Every structure is written in structure tokens, then in C-alpha cells.
Amino acid sequence: MLRFKLILEVIEQENLLANAAEKGAYLKSKLQEAMKDRPQLSNLRGKDYL
């Protein structure tokens, strides 16, 4: 139980959720840009595409 609490504290202290959301939005925007020039990339799905 203590280990789980410490892990959650690290996640909060290092702002990992917000960082992941920011990086995900950046990646999604770059993939959408790449799709414009490449017709073989036809289906970008929001979350969980990695």
C-alpha cells in the first residue's frame, strides 16, 4: 500500500499526467500534419493509437 501511495505522489509531484496530455496533443497534431501529404495514412484515431 505504501509503495502505491509513493508512486501516486511522484506522479503528482512531477506533473506526469499533464505532461503526457501535452505530449499526446503534440504527437496527434504532428500526425495530422503528416496525413495531409500522405494518402496512405488515412485513419488517425484520437487516444490509444500507439
Side-chain angles (χ1 to χ4, degrees):
M1 185 72 165
L2 178 61
R3 186 179 308 168
F4 181 71
K5 184 178 178 183
L6 292 173
I7 290 169
L8 287 178
E9 286 178 12
V10 169
I11 290 171
E12 288 178 2
Q13 289 171 354
E14 296 187 12
N15 208 18
L16 295 179
L17 292 177
N19 188 31
E22 181 182 327
K23 301 285 187 213
Y26 174 79
L27 177 60
K28 186 176 179 182
S29 72
K30 292 298 182 182
L31 288 171
Q32 287 172 332
E33 274 183 43
M35 287 177 61
K36 292 177 185 175
D37 301 329
R38 295 172 183 85
Q40 64 272 28
L41 299 176
S42 64
N43 191 7
L44 178 61
R45 302 171 187 227
K47 295 181 180 181
D48 301 327
Y49 48 80
L50 295 177

